[in-house]
Amino acid sequence: MSAYQDLSLQESMLLKFEAEEFLYYEADLLDSRRFDEWLNLLADDIHYWMPLRRTTQAKEVEKEFTVPGGMALFDDDKTILTMRIQRLAIGRAWAEDPPSRTRCLISNVRIDSIDEDELTVRSNFKLYRTRLNSEEDSWIGRREDTLRRSEGGFLLCRRHLFLEQTVILSQNLSSLF
């Protein structure tokens, strides 16, 4: 049993509300291209990871996603995420010139567990992106986040993203989820 289940109804509702507000605020920063502010929400030890998804038979469903340390679409730490943001700021990210317009929808937020000052939070997302005059992409999946309490609220210290797609049809995968 997780510590979350031991909380009173009022405490659990407040904690869920705080986690949801953090995730909504974070999504708004990305959609508004306020990337430097978004970086400030990341813990120094963040692990931002999106494995590859394969179509498997039912008897091998546990092999559907690649494992940490294996092939991944993203396997970033704060240094790499900072470099990605810097490239956007100075116009060196050709896939984002002109910049994408995004809208990230977060739903089904649920707290899985609490471990001292960290929450494990699962949510579903849909990231819609439009670029140029006719380029449109949608990615749908789930996120497993670890939020760490800090003086100013929460910091994101782990984001694992699991796409529903096995084939990425977009021209690039330059968006932040």
Side-chain angles (χ1 to χ4, degrees):
M1 179 180 274
S2 79
Y4 182 64
Q5 295 169 332
D6 293 335
L7 297 177
S8 72
L9 179 60
Q10 184 177 9
E11 291 170 323
S12 64
M13 288 174 60
L14 179 59
L15 191 59
K16 184 174 186 282
F17 175 77
E18 288 178 293
E20 287 173 331
E21 286 297 304
F22 175 85
L23 296 175
Y24 299 152
Y25 176 67
E26 183 220 358
D28 184 54
L29 289 178
L30 291 173
D31 289 343
S32 302
R33 298 187 197 115
R34 293 163 45 198
F35 299 121
D36 287 334
E37 291 176 63
W38 179 75
L39 278 174
N40 291 331
L41 296 180
L42 307 182
D44 290 339
D45 62 341
I46 186 164
H47 185 224
Y48 186 92
W49 179 70
M50 182 186 288
L52 299 176
R53 184 175 203 158
R54 301 174 288 237
T55 301
T56 61
Q57 294 181 339
K59 65 183 178 183
E60 294 183 323
V61 74
E62 72 280 353
K63 295 179 183 177
E64 188 173 24
F65 291 100
T66 55
V67 297
M71 292 288 290
L73 296 167
F74 298 120
D75 193 358
D76 299 347
D77 59 14
K78 190 159 186 181
T79 301
I80 293 172
L81 291 167
T82 301
M83 288 187 329
R84 286 176 66 187
I85 298 303
Q86 289 171 342
R87 287 182 64 227
L88 291 170
I90 62 172
R92 292 259 173 117
W94 64 267
E96 285 299 319
D97 191 15
S100 296
R101 295 169 298 276
T102 63
R103 189 65 51 210
C104 186
L105 306 175
I106 309 297
S107 69
N108 297 39
V109 177
R110 50 230 175 263
I111 297 175
D112 272 357
S113 64
I114 302 172
D115 183 20
E116 294 182 27
D117 62 344
E118 293 185 353
L119 306 176
T120 302
V121 181
R122 291 178 184 252
S123 60
N124 295 334
F125 70 88
K126 177 175 184 178
L127 180 62
Y128 170 80
R129 177 180 76 171
T130 182
R131 188 171 170 273
L132 301 170
N133 292 330
S134 61
E135 199 174 299
E136 286 187 47
D137 296 298
S138 286
W139 297 281
I140 298 170
R142 68 182 160 88
R143 302 190 314 190
E144 295 176 4
D145 294 334
T146 301
L147 308 180
R148 182 179 300 141
R149 283 240 185 244
S150 70
E151 288 181 27
F154 287 118
L155 292 175
L156 179 65
C157 58
R158 178 180 165 269
R159 169 153 295 155
H160 289 186
L161 300 142
F162 300 90
L163 288 179
E164 293 303 315
Q165 294 95 322
T166 56
V167 176
I168 306 297
L169 299 175
S170 62
Q171 298 292 321
N172 61 58
L173 198 57
S174 59
S175 296
L176 294 160
F177 290 78

